[in-house]
Amino acid sequence: MTDSSEAVPAAVRPAELAAFLAARMCHDFISPASAIVSGLDLLDDPSAQDMRDEAMGLIATSARKLADLLAFCRVAFGASASAETFDVRDLEKLAR
C-alpha cells in the first residue's frame, strides 16, 4: 500500500537534465574561478603589496580546487563513454 501524500517524481527530459547539470557545474566552478581573479587583482594592486603572500595562497588553493572539480566532472560525466580506466584510489580522492 502506498501513501497517497507521497509525491511521484515527474519524468525529466534529457535537455532539462543536461541544463540542470550544466548549471550546477557552472555554479561549482564560479567560486574558485572568482577567487583566482580576486587573487590576481590583489597582485596587481600596488597598495596591496603587503597581501602578496595571501593572494598567492588564495590563487594556489583556488586553482587546485578548480582543477579537482574539473577532474571530478570529467570522470563523472565523460569517462563512461571512453576506454579510459581510473584507479580506485584516484576516484576516491576525487570524490573527497
Side-chain angles (χ1 to χ4, degrees):
M1 177 180 263
T2 61
D3 185 358
S4 61
S5 65
E6 290 181 29
V8 176
V12 178
R13 294 189 334 239
E16 290 173 332
L17 179 60
F20 174 76
L21 288 174
R24 181 63 202 195
M25 289 178 358
C26 289
H27 176 270
D28 290 348
F29 298 157
I30 196 67
S31 177
S34 294
I36 291 168
V37 171
S38 295
L40 292 171
D41 287 344
L42 280 173
L43 289 177
D44 280 345
D45 185 351
S47 67
Q49 290 307 304
D50 59 326
M51 298 182 65
R52 184 172 176 77
D53 290 339
E54 290 86 1
M56 289 302 291
L58 177 64
I59 292 167
T61 300
S62 300
R64 262 187 240 93
K65 181 177 181 180
L66 185 56
D68 289 345
L69 284 167
L70 288 168
F72 176 82
C73 287
R74 178 175 168 251
V75 171
F77 303 116
S80 64
S82 73
E84 193 170 3
T85 60
F86 298 94
D87 186 313
V88 172
R89 293 174 297 246
D90 293 335
L91 295 175
E92 182 181 10
K93 189 166 55 167
L94 282 174
R96 281 195 216 140

